[in-house]
Amino acid sequence: MTRQMRFENQVVWLTGASSGIGEALAYEFSKQGAQLILSARRGKELERVCAQCVGNGAATGNSAATVPYILPLDVADLDSIPRKAEQARALFGRIDILVNNAGISQRGLVAETEMVALQRVFQVNFFGAVAMTKAVLLEMLERRAGQIVVVSSLTGKLPLPKHAAYCASKHALQGYFDSLRAEVARAGVKVTVILPGFVQSEISANSMDAQGLPRGQAAASRRAMRADVAARKMVQAIAQGKAEYEFGGVERFAVPLRKYAPWLYSYAIKRMKI
Ligand SMILES: NC(=O)c1ccc[n+]([C@@H]2O[C@H](COP(=O)([O-])OP(=O)(O)OC[C@H]3O[C@@H](n4cnc5c(N)ncnc54)[C@H](OP(=O)(O)O)[C@@H]3O)[C@@H](O)[C@H]2O)c1
């Protein structure tokens, strides 16, 4: 199958589609023929991404590119998710692939971080992904088909000073979705956990401080991968049905470093300037 056609007739529901990695994933899935449902809180930004998907398809003469649907939602509003899932399912009768990409970051020393900030990170990054997954899972199990994708982070395996809440939420995703994979493997449902390294996006600008307030500071990393490059890699891993996919620049070598020389990793992060 050509790369363009890999997701033809596949219904992909993507959260966090209004910026950064999610936006780039929308363009890549759309190019490859997926029928997209785009979700995030900012409807206007989703409309912009939707228009760009259509424009990309027209500009490249890609007949497989489809017009996405927009379904604004807040993943932290857990009670609203089952109703949103009904609306999403009503569009095509099923969801083939759910991509849990919506997420926020938070920066602050543990000693200074308020519980409200910690809870907010978990509400969005962990409970939001869990609620979305539970809302589509039964129908996937009934059809004995489907794929749940979670966008974690290398920090899902690597502790990092001043990012304890974010790290913990991503570690929690790993444990939850690895367990889910074992439960549903024989029922025909795949679970893919993706762990990116640094990627260019709005994540720093949208992150919270120790009080849970917007930091409003974009800390662009020179080492960060372009979002479109990251999205191509991620969509390929999803197409291949990988259980887990880690990628990034040199930072990805920290995972084997921590596994095989934990004392060295521990020494390095104690001396890290963050
Ligand atoms: N950039 C990196 O270096 C990096 C590395 C590893 C992992 N990641 C992960 O990649 C994912 C995407 O992040 P990004 O880097 O692309 O950051 P981003 O540009 O800030 O995008 C975050 C996306 O999540 C959405 N979102 C945030 N809170 C939400 C909520 N309560 N309900 C629904 N949608 C919500 C945002 O949309 P609205 O504001 O419109 O709701 C936005 O579309 C996150 O899970 C992040 O942890 C990023």
Side-chain angles (χ1 to χ4, degrees), residues 15-22 39-42 45 73-76 100-104 120 124-125 151-154 166 170 195-203 206:
T15 69
S18 61
S19 71
I21 293 174
S39 290
R41 289 165 303 175
R42 290 170 296 165
E45 290 303 306
L73 59 78
D74 182 346
V75 296
N100 288 301
N101 167 72
I104 48 166
R120 177 74 191 161
V124 175
N125 293 3
V151 181
S152 176
S153 160
L154 290 182
Y166 183 71
K170 297 297 189 180
L195 299 94
F198 300 123
V199 179
Q200 291 169 13
S201 77
E202 306 297 313
I203 196 154
N206 292 332

Side-chain angles (χ1 to χ4, degrees), residues 31-45:
K31 242 191 248 172
Q32 298 197 32
Q35 180 55 70
L36 277 168
I37 305 169
L38 303 179
S39 290
R41 289 165 303 175
R42 290 170 296 165
K44 273 237 143 30
E45 290 303 306

Side-chain angles (χ1 to χ4, degrees), residues 136-150:
V136 301
L137 186 61
L138 278 183
E139 184 262 328
M140 286 185 177
L141 290 172
E142 276 164 19
R143 282 192 299 117
R144 299 189 66 81
Q147 187 174 5
I148 307 285
V149 179
V150 187

